[in-house]
Amino acid sequence: MIQINNYINGEFQPIKDFLEDTNPATGEVIANIPKSGLTEVEKAVNAADEARISWSKLSLEERTDWLDKIADALEYRSDDIASLESLDTGKPITLAKAVDASRSVANFRFFAKFARDFSVENFEMDDAMNHVVLKPVGIAGLITPWNLPLYLLSWKIAPAIVMGNTVVAKPSELTPLTANLLSEVIHEIGLPAGVVNIVHGLGSEAGQAIVENSKVNLISFTGGTITGKMVAATAAPMFKKLSLELGGKNATVVLEDTNLEESIPEIARSGFMNQGQVCLCGSRILVSDKIWDEFVDKFVDYVKSMKVGDPSSPNSDLGALVSLSHRDKVESYIHLAQREGGEILCGGKSPKLPSPFDKGAFLEPTIISGLSHMSRTATEEIFGPVVTLHRFKSDNEAIEMANCTEYGLAGSVWTSDVKRGKELAEQIETGMVWVNTWLHRDLRVPFGGVKNSGVGREGGRWSLSFFSEAVNICVKE
Ligand code: TXE
């Protein structure tokens, strides 16, 4: 049993009230985490406040050196990151190694280098010079979800501290283990006390207390759209800087000229990676009428060959969902799809697995056809290994279908005509579109959504600008 404590002001601080953390693949309780509330959040905010001035006075070079030190120390513990992440989330160890562990390290390294190389534009007038200075915002409140725990936490902490802010972070109560590992790493390398404070607990208690705290100047939140609305309702009247990365219901548009042999494995990856629990997953697959039968046959065959099981096995393509209650939610959408007239082409139920995985939150990868593209199943975020298939007759119809939901996070287009793919991509109303690839990430590019998928952009210079206040100093010569 792992015992997790809050990390505040450079110290691990135990509290009396605990929550249990469960391995979703077995149902076994693996850790106790603090059930923090107002008192712990206030302590963390006060520590961040005290550290703020001296941290912001370090040179940018000194702060980027700290990021590199964190990256080095995290990299040394890559195997631990992967195994803890797999244990806590139920995701396959292979994915945790390839994505979670490596990206968490890469986020710190990337922002260290990017901030070093970054220069702000100055604007010359006939008789004066405008100097733009990026100042820290103050205390950053960072709230992160359970699907990519350390990956998303590091994506926010690195740019926040490199720009001179101090941080109070609350990881998801469902997946606290790697945030705790980060606390250990930060402690080991001796990052100045109070620069990064990590408080564990429920969203409605610890999370809400961070958003409500008047000393917290900025909130960066990744999570569900309903929670995002609550966060915005609290933070907006306090004029906090706000970035919200919320849900998605992303369309995968398959044109008739795509190379199916090459694209089907990638389209399946985009639907089912991390058990479909990535906000960027392509969960609505729109297929040209001209290749419908061939695509459906090949896609169903491919997905049927994907293995669900023990997350620690290198042979598992899919592990467990994050919790039994989340699996129930995802299953309820499969039942809804049946009531809406959908046909289940594969999956649709929990696989029969040997002990101890018989108690886990597993679900077979599921493909549903025959639904209206306007049905609830095809327009609401399911966030699980469930995709719906829809056929279109023209590019215009594909665009209309792609844009019919209230979400606008990502999408992908598959075609051998790159020019046509790019033209189509530009008409999809989302923050990001991939052509002939998916989740191909360059950390310099803007990341975020439109419509109900969120507000603001992070990534590269967008992160540096979100985590700073641009101040203009006009000097008359
Ligand atoms: O997320 P929550 P949940 C979607 C997905 C999923 C749904 C709900 O569809 O089924 O959201 O998931 C904290 N004030 N995504 O309920 O609640 C919470 O403790 C401040 C999409 O698990 O949004 C956690 O740290 N914070 C997504 C974080 O918010 C609060 C990833 C996210 O949890 C809070 C996850 C409050 N009042 C789910 N209430 C994505 N965009 O990638 C909760 N939290």
Side-chain angles (χ1 to χ4, degrees):
M1 177 78 89
I2 304 168
Q3 184 64 54
I4 285 179
N5 294 314
N6 288 331
Y7 185 64
I8 299 175
N9 205 19
E11 287 170 10
F12 289 92
Q13 305 200 349
I15 70 165
K16 288 198 189 96
D17 289 342
F18 283 100
L19 299 165
E20 288 184 339
D21 175 33
T22 305
N23 172 353
T26 61
E28 182 199 357
V29 176
I30 47 177
N32 278 330
I33 69 164
K35 185 175 181 293
S36 310
L38 265 182
T39 316
E40 292 73 28
V41 167
E42 260 174 31
K43 263 192 193 173
V45 171
N46 289 340
D49 199 26
E50 267 183 37
R52 204 166 50 83
I53 304 295
S54 52
W55 180 250
S56 68
K57 282 190 174 153
L58 292 188
S59 68
L60 183 71
E61 198 60 35
E62 285 170 308
R63 290 196 301 263
T64 58
D65 287 348
W66 277 112
L67 260 62
D68 278 332
K69 277 189 205 162
I70 298 175
D72 291 346
L74 275 182
E75 191 166 41
Y76 184 72
R77 296 196 58 188
S78 282
D79 288 346
D80 294 344
I81 298 175
S83 52
L84 289 174
E85 214 69 292
S86 173
L87 193 70
D88 218 5
T89 62
K91 69 178 69 188
I93 185 77
T94 44
L95 182 70
K97 274 188 187 154
V99 174
D100 298 78
S102 67
R103 228 330 259 291
S104 303
V105 174
N107 283 338
F108 281 100
R109 262 206 194 116
F110 166 76
F111 278 111
K113 175 162 176 13
F114 193 82
R116 255 181 226 125
D117 297 345
F118 189 66
S119 57
V120 191
E121 214 178 341
N122 291 323
F123 301 94
E124 196 173 352
M125 300 166 79
D126 287 344
D127 56 351
M129 179 61 113
N130 291 285
H131 302 269
V132 179
V133 181
L134 296 186
K135 291 192 175 170
V137 186
I139 301 176
L142 311 178
I143 298 174
T144 47
W146 42 261
N147 54 339
L148 296 158
L150 189 58
Y151 174 124
L152 289 173
L153 186 62
S154 52
W155 177 243
K156 295 181 193 298
I157 289 185
I161 63 174
V162 87
M163 295 313 282
N165 305 283
T166 53
V167 160
V168 177
K170 195 206 79 66
S172 170
E173 58 275 29
L174 298 179
T175 55
L177 298 184
T178 50
N180 187 55
L181 181 146
L182 179 65
S183 303
E184 289 168 3
V185 157
I186 281 173
H187 192 68
E188 270 160 34
I189 64 165
L191 185 76
V195 173
V196 172
N197 305 278
I198 298 185
V199 179
H200 296 273
L202 297 172
S204 55
E205 297 175 356
Q208 185 71 22
I210 293 174
V211 182
E212 279 174 2
N213 193 297
S214 59
K215 284 187 184 165
V216 174
N217 313 88
L218 164 160
I219 299 290
S220 172
F221 170 86
T222 301
T225 295
I226 294 171
T227 316
K229 272 186 196 165
M230 290 196 288
V231 168
T234 309
M238 299 171 86
F239 305 113
K240 293 180 194 247
K241 275 193 109 173
L242 194 56
S243 165
L244 301 170
E245 203 270 279
L246 310 176
K249 187 75 181 179
N250 312 299
T252 301
V253 181
V254 189
L255 300 181
E256 73 283 357
D257 60 357
T258 191
N259 177 332
L260 289 181
E261 268 63 43
E262 282 175 14
S263 55
I264 278 180
E266 282 296 291
I267 292 172
R269 187 174 79 90
S270 92
F272 300 109
M273 187 177 116
N274 205 30
Q275 297 71 244
Q277 303 167 126
V278 180
C279 53
L280 306 167
C281 274
S283 52
R284 296 183 292 147
I285 306 182
L286 317 180
V287 184
S288 164
D289 208 25
K290 299 187 184 101
I291 54 161
W292 174 264
D293 289 338
E294 188 189 357
F295 177 85
V296 173
D297 287 349
K298 290 187 168 155
F299 186 62
V300 170
D301 278 353
Y302 186 89
V303 173
K304 276 185 177 165
S305 74
M306 295 175 91
K307 291 197 173 51
V308 187
D310 178 359
S312 68
S313 160
N315 300 324
S316 296
D317 298 305
L318 283 84
L321 276 71
V322 76
S323 66
L324 286 172
S325 67
H326 186 59
R327 188 198 49 194
D328 289 348
K329 176 197 147 181
V330 175
E331 262 189 321
S332 76
Y333 273 101
I334 297 174
H335 300 145
L336 173 68
Q338 287 167 316
R339 293 199 299 281
E340 289 185 316
E343 183 192 353
I344 296 178
L345 303 183
C346 79
K349 55 186 186 331
S350 305
K352 297 230 169 328
L353 296 173
S355 177
F357 305 111
D358 51 340
K359 295 187 193 67
F362 293 89
L363 193 63
E364 291 173 351
T366 302
I367 304 175
I368 304 172
S369 177
L371 288 170
S372 156
H373 66 279
M374 294 303 292
S375 62
R376 280 188 55 205
T377 312
T379 53
E380 295 178 13
E381 186 179 48
I382 300 176
F383 219 63
V386 178
V387 301
T388 58
L389 303 184
H390 310 272
R391 62 165 96 194
F392 64 83
K393 290 195 174 67
S394 64
D395 287 8
N396 280 346
E397 194 185 6
I399 292 158
E400 197 189 307
M401 289 165 100
N403 292 340
C404 80
T405 76
E406 62 185 30
Y407 292 107
L409 189 59
S412 65
V413 180
W414 301 83
T415 173
S416 49
D417 181 347
V418 175
K419 184 167 170 282
R420 182 178 164 208
K422 189 164 167 286
E423 278 166 10
L424 218 136
E426 282 174 20
Q427 295 174 71
I428 297 181
E429 293 162 359
T430 61
M432 299 158 269
V433 189
W434 284 281
V435 178
N436 293 332
T437 182
W438 178 77
L439 200 51
H440 195 44
R441 291 279 291 125
D442 180 328
L443 303 186
R444 294 169 300 179
V445 307
F447 183 98
V450 301
K451 302 200 276 186
N452 288 5
S453 290
V455 177
R457 294 288 178 276
E458 294 186 27
R461 68 183 166 88
W462 288 271
S463 288
L464 299 194
S465 128
F466 173 64
F467 286 105
S468 61
E469 292 288 5
V471 174
N472 185 51
I473 300 174
C474 179
V475 180
K476 184 141 186 334
E477 277 150 21

